[in-house]
Amino acid sequence: MHEAVITLLRRERPVEAPVWRSFWDRLHEGGLRRGESVALLASLATRMPDRTTLTGLLDSLAGNRSAGVPDEVGAAVNIVGTGGGPRTFNISTAAALVAAAMGVRVVKTGSRAYTGSLGSVDLLERLGVPLTASYEETHASLEVHGIAFAGAFVYPAELGLLTRSVLPLDIRQLGGFLNALGPFLARLPARAQLTGVADRRLVTGLRHAAGHLAHGGPRSVWLCVNEAGADELLSFLPNRVYAYEGALEDEFVLDPVRLGLRPGSPDELRPRDGDPVAHFREVLSGRGAPVAEETVALNAAALAVAGRVTGDWGAALAAAREVIRDGRALDILSRLRSGAAVHV
């Protein structure tokens, strides 16, 4: 059995970067037995790794990647959750479109449904919105639409190899920790990232991952949590935000009352049974539930503030509401659908 697996199971010492790299090399060579991959994923999902092990994991995956993002792609912001929490419509995808309509450059990552019924990739597929397949396509989509939905190419190849190595077992039952770590593994042209955490047990480890990503960028990374366990900012509950920028760290609370947002509940954010796409379009057009509109506006405003497009929360919220109500957010969605893939 590989040293990385044995060390994780025994928990007697950290798994450092060279051991992780050896594990990935073996995975690439096809030299691991399925049981080793299963044991590694189960160990990571059962107990949060220590800081040294987590740093080694992050560094080893970054080290096994190809060259960085081309300079010409340009900087953008990203909003992506860790998955889990109460069942809601796809708030982060709606917020990404609204932010783009506000003039914020957005490159959004995401995945298929992990615990819910419709992940961002599932939704985009139903909407007919293509994912980009390269940095060149990402740059082209940004130039034309102000937003790009990045495909799997931004993630380490090791994640896909691990998934295939445990088949026919269900990766959703084993890969919980790596799925939550996913937002910090994508190589993106991002100057800022907003990531919500549903499982509070993961906050300590993911704060370390956020700080590691920000320091390595440098970029601004905001990690948010709330009492409802949603993996986005909510407009009706206080949201604690852990903000990292370069080597700097801050912590603050976004209070809906102080921002002038209305009361609400998670039930008002649930997707409509039977036709989630129509529901999503209604929210973008300003015909959804008021709480849904406010929550999308808050997340879009946060992208503008985190990305330093503005420092005025009131102005950012007003701009987000305006582009929802005048149809600009829905217009971007329509152009992404009708324009199909941007060719390079």
Side-chain angles (χ1 to χ4, degrees):
M1 189 175 291
H2 193 275
E3 181 183 355
V5 180
I6 295 172
T7 306
L8 278 174
L9 291 174
R10 291 179 176 174
R11 303 280 177 171
E12 296 173 348
R13 56 187 172 85
V15 182
E16 299 188 357
V19 178
W20 279 116
R21 293 190 189 103
S22 170
F23 181 85
W24 304 131
D25 288 343
R26 188 79 61 82
L27 179 66
H28 276 278
E29 295 163 0
L32 292 174
R33 290 169 292 181
R34 188 182 72 181
E36 293 182 274
S37 297
V38 171
L40 181 128
L41 288 169
S43 178
L44 289 172
T46 302
R47 180 178 172 186
M48 173 65 66
D50 60 83
R51 288 173 66 92
T52 302
T53 295
L54 186 54
T55 299
L57 172 59
L58 293 168
D59 288 344
S60 68
L61 287 172
N64 269 9
R65 304 289 299 283
S66 59
V69 181
D71 291 339
E72 64 270 19
V73 172
V77 301
N78 182 24
I79 176 171
V80 56
T82 59
R87 186 168 174 259
T88 67
F89 73 96
N90 203 294
I91 295 166
S92 63
T93 302
L97 289 162
V98 170
M102 293 164 60
V104 181
R105 287 169 65 90
V106 180
V107 175
K108 172 157 172 50
T109 58
S111 63
R112 294 194 179 276
Y114 197 79
T115 56
S117 58
L118 204 67
S120 63
V121 172
D122 302 305
L123 174 65
L124 292 169
E125 190 173 81
R126 293 196 189 187
L127 287 167
V129 175
L131 304 181
T132 63
S134 67
Y135 290 118
E136 291 74 21
E137 284 188 12
T138 301
H139 173 56
S141 184
L142 275 172
E143 292 302 304
V144 174
H145 303 298
I147 186 170
F149 292 96
F153 75 95
V154 299
Y155 292 103
E158 290 78 7
L159 300 186
L161 289 172
L162 265 180
T163 297
R164 290 190 289 274
S165 72
V166 302
L167 291 174
L169 298 180
D170 189 347
I171 188 62
R172 291 176 298 179
Q173 304 301 321
L174 291 168
F177 176 74
L178 284 183
N179 184 73
L181 197 63
F184 309 99
L185 297 177
R187 189 179 289 278
L188 283 175
R191 66 170 176 261
Q193 178 169 308
L194 173 64
T195 294
V197 182
D199 189 343
R200 284 180 169 270
R201 295 172 298 179
L202 301 179
V203 169
T204 299
L206 295 184
R207 285 184 64 185
H208 176 63
H212 190 272
L213 178 61
H215 190 264
R219 68 174 72 174
S220 177
V221 183
W222 288 11
L223 207 66
C224 64
V225 294
N226 51 63
E227 289 298 329
D231 66 343
E232 299 94 4
L233 296 169
L234 295 180
S235 64
F236 48 84
L237 287 175
N239 301 274
R240 183 165 298 278
V241 179
Y242 303 97
Y244 301 86
E245 185 161 1
L248 302 177
E249 178 180 346
D250 191 17
E251 181 179 339
F252 59 93
V253 174
L254 283 176
D255 187 343
V257 175
R258 292 190 176 185
L259 293 173
L261 300 170
R262 67 190 75 196
S265 73
D267 289 340
E268 297 173 85
L269 301 176
R270 291 177 65 86
R272 179 187 301 159
D273 291 334
D275 199 350
V277 170
H279 180 211
F280 183 82
R281 291 175 59 85
E282 284 180 7
V283 173
L284 279 188
S285 65
R287 294 182 290 113
V291 168
E293 179 182 321
E294 294 279 75
T295 293
V296 169
L298 176 60
N299 282 274
L303 290 178
V305 175
R308 295 187 176 277
V309 175
T310 179
D312 187 330
W313 280 95
L317 280 166
R321 294 186 184 107
E322 182 180 350
V323 302
I324 293 173
R325 293 171 185 173
D326 69 13
R328 274 180 283 165
L330 193 59
D331 180 59
I332 286 184
L333 175 60
S334 297
R335 286 191 282 115
L336 283 164
R337 296 179 67 196
S338 61
V342 177
H343 299 290
V344 295

